[in-house]
Amino acid sequence: MAVSERSVFITKTGAIAATVGSAVGLGNIWRFPYEAGIHGGGAFLMCYLLFIFILGLPVLCAEFIMGKGTRSNIFSAYNKLSPGKNWKFLGFLGILASLMILSFYSVVAGWTIEYSIGSICNNLDFSSAETGHNQFNELTTGWRPLVWTIIFLFCNFFILIGGVTKGIERASNILMPLLFLLLLAFCIHSMTMPGFGEGMTYLFAPDFSQITPSVLLGALGQAFFSLSLGLGCMMTYASYFNNKSNLGQTALTTAMLDSLVAILAGVIIFPAVFSFGLTPEAGPTLVFEVLPNIFHQLPAGMLWSTLFFILLFLASLTSTVSMSEISISYFCEVKKLSRFKATLISSAIALIGGILCALSFGAMSDFTIFGKTIFNLFDYVSSNILLPVGGFFCSIFVGWFVSRKFINTQMQGDKKSISGFTPVLVFFLRWICPSAIFLVFLNSLGII
Ligand code: PFF
């Protein structure tokens, strides 16, 4: 959806499909299991779900209200709604976060291309957990990940300038339900695995003693990352909603589907982890090492594998297209550049970041800042710091500085009556969201 055209999603389902398309991606299927794996499983899932519904949902509504009400990008939205220009920094924060995410996300999306092609050509060897591990290392070091990252960013670039975003949206209306069905099928298969019970206990039985400051911060970051929140992405998308869109319903549907996909991914991964004698703490490589072992066990495994990785690649594209719009809309609407130039600049920055992130698994694996490789640093800083900070200010802004009348009008959609939901929303935005985010930060700094 080209920002400069300021078009609208014609139907209600179109708006929902686009926001779900942005929200559902690698964050659910790749990032959630690995974060849950390093943060103790059930305890992490519980905190994550709590944050999605108590903090994510109100902030999602706040972004929707700002986007739909101002019909602008994140910069102009804050400018239009506030008398001073003091909120401009949030626009820059959003751009910084989106480019950092685009950088490491493209590397992982590049792996999905590599695995799709490997599956099509039937040259992946996942006959045991060990060969799977070695295969992953082979595929993600050296020149190969660089090439796939570049190819992925090129696909993203082509979609953004080619005006085929609509086509992608239409395709994703069909393909995303297919991905969902595929995940369901894999869940059923996971019930037959020897490690099913152990995996389920790990994911669903919270061990409260595991809730540490880093688990809370990780879950907060994951909730915001997964809902594409805190950087103006949902604001930008909501600027294309038509006036009748029901924001509450769209937000709730997005949050529910998004968390459901993450849970399904967990139900697939953890039983397999225990069945194959692996450990859940593998980190970013977890899903790519575990999933192919599952495919290997299935009849016509390479077919499943091909289908899955192609769908995951497309799910990544619908997410990167949405996050790219943040910087592109800034360059187009604020800096008055052509869409082509704007897309070129954003993609070039992401390309440099992407190359550094890709090298983190190879030549630059020993190069660390604060003990983290560039890949992990970009992931940590954007998800765990920048997004919650963006969400914190967005909730304060809408809760305290935007009139209730404006909020009501935007929330109403095609309903005539004033929704009883607004006072609750405002209460959450004023008090609950900012204080909870603040407390999680203080907690993670060891202050409380
Ligand atoms: N929500 C996406 C996912 O879970 O894969 C990631 C994402 C998309 C983050 C768009 C931020 C964003 F602006």
Side-chain angles (χ1 to χ4, degrees):
M1 181 67 54
V3 170
S4 42
E5 289 163 13
R6 283 272 145 245
S7 39
V8 289
F9 294 121
I10 301 180
T11 59
K12 210 151 113 181
T13 40
I16 293 182
T19 46
V20 172
S22 165
V24 173
L26 291 170
N28 311 67
I29 294 164
W30 158 74
R31 200 173 187 280
F32 170 78
Y34 105 64
E35 281 284 324
I38 51 179
H39 288 123
F44 180 86
L45 175 67
M46 206 189 66
C47 300
Y48 162 74
L49 289 177
L50 205 73
F51 289 153
I52 284 264
F53 289 98
I54 291 187
L55 309 180
L57 201 53
V59 176
L60 185 54
C61 289
E63 286 209 15
F64 279 172
I65 289 167
M66 289 184 68
K68 185 182 162 210
T70 60
R71 300 240 166 267
S72 354
N73 62 73
I74 180 168
F75 274 90
S76 319
Y78 277 107
N79 275 349
K80 281 185 187 170
L81 291 173
S82 70
K85 303 233 182 285
N86 301 342
W87 298 87
K88 217 173 165 178
F89 73 97
L90 289 171
F92 289 111
L93 192 131
I95 293 187
L96 178 67
S98 69
L99 291 172
M100 280 174 114
I101 295 176
L102 191 55
S103 302
F104 72 82
Y105 205 92
S106 302
V107 175
V108 183
W111 298 345
T112 66
I113 309 181
E114 169 105 60
Y115 273 64
S116 304
I117 293 177
S119 309
I120 294 170
C121 304
N122 202 2
N123 59 10
L124 298 178
D125 179 8
F126 288 102
S127 44
S128 70
E130 203 190 335
T131 56
H133 177 73
N134 294 340
Q135 180 100 71
F136 178 84
N137 283 343
E138 196 184 304
L139 294 180
T140 54
T141 42
W143 56 270
R144 305 171 69 114
L146 292 182
V147 173
W148 297 120
T149 305
I150 293 169
I151 291 178
F152 179 80
L153 279 168
F154 181 77
C155 296
N156 190 51
F157 175 79
F158 173 74
I159 288 167
L160 288 162
I161 55 152
V164 284
T165 318
K166 272 205 181 120
I168 276 279
E169 272 157 20
R170 228 168 283 145
S172 73
N173 283 352
I174 304 165
L175 296 172
M176 288 308 105
L178 198 62
L179 178 65
F180 189 74
L181 287 181
L182 206 61
L183 290 176
L184 275 183
F186 293 152
C187 279
I188 294 170
H189 171 261
S190 101
M191 289 176 192
T192 64
M193 294 195 141
F196 181 68
E198 207 179 338
M200 288 298 96
T201 311
Y202 182 78
L203 183 63
F204 290 113
D207 170 1
F208 292 102
S209 67
Q210 296 258 9
I211 302 182
T212 59
S214 96
V215 169
L216 288 171
L217 187 65
L220 181 69
Q222 177 60 23
F224 276 76
F225 184 88
S226 192
L227 287 177
S228 316
L229 275 187
L231 69 175
C233 175
M234 289 306 192
M235 210 181 283
T236 312
Y237 261 22
S239 68
Y240 307 121
F241 288 0
N242 72 24
N243 282 335
K244 291 191 179 144
S245 306
N246 184 330
L247 299 189
Q249 190 192 12
T250 309
L252 190 63
T253 313
T254 306
M256 286 196 322
L257 284 178
D258 191 55
S259 33
L260 183 63
V261 174
I263 292 174
L264 288 184
V267 171
I268 297 167
I269 301 292
F270 291 111
V273 165
F274 292 106
S275 304
F276 299 126
L278 300 165
T279 54
E281 296 94 5
T285 63
L286 180 73
V287 168
F288 285 85
E289 292 189 24
V290 173
L291 275 179
N293 286 299
I294 305 178
F295 301 140
H296 182 79
Q297 286 194 338
L298 294 169
M302 282 302 151
L303 198 74
W304 291 105
S305 178
T306 308
L307 195 60
F308 175 79
F309 284 113
I310 290 180
L311 289 173
L312 192 55
F313 161 71
L314 290 170
S316 321
L317 263 182
T318 54
S319 296
T320 51
V321 161
S322 73
M323 71 182 87
S324 307
E325 281 296 353
I326 301 162
S327 48
I328 294 175
S329 61
Y330 167 73
F331 289 126
C332 282
E333 295 181 1
V334 181
K335 293 286 165 203
K336 306 287 178 221
L337 295 185
S338 69
R339 186 165 176 84
F340 181 81
K341 269 195 195 146
T343 312
L344 201 63
I345 295 176
S346 305
S347 305
I349 299 172
L351 183 65
I352 298 169
I355 289 174
L356 292 175
C357 289
L359 290 174
S360 298
F361 290 87
M364 285 175 67
S365 60
D366 291 333
F367 178 79
T368 56
I369 301 172
F370 301 122
K372 293 189 188 304
T373 60
I374 302 263
F375 181 99
N376 288 336
L377 187 77
F378 276 23
D379 185 351
Y380 185 87
V381 171
S382 55
S383 314
N384 291 6
I385 300 173
L386 299 181
L387 303 191
V389 167
F392 172 84
F393 284 109
C394 180
S395 63
I396 291 192
F397 184 81
V398 176
W400 291 95
F401 299 99
V402 173
S403 75
R404 282 200 187 210
K405 189 162 168 262
F406 184 86
I407 297 178
N408 260 331
T409 316
Q410 301 313 321
M411 291 301 293
Q412 255 175 29
D414 51 4
K415 289 203 199 77
K416 289 281 167 281
S417 63
I418 304 276
S419 94
F421 180 63
T422 305
V424 183
L425 175 66
V426 172
F427 177 76
F428 269 77
L429 291 175
R430 281 190 168 192
W431 301 106
I432 309 286
C433 301
S435 42
I437 296 172
F438 192 62
L439 288 177
V440 172
F441 271 121
L442 285 188
N443 185 246
S444 70
L445 292 172
I447 297 172
I448 52 165

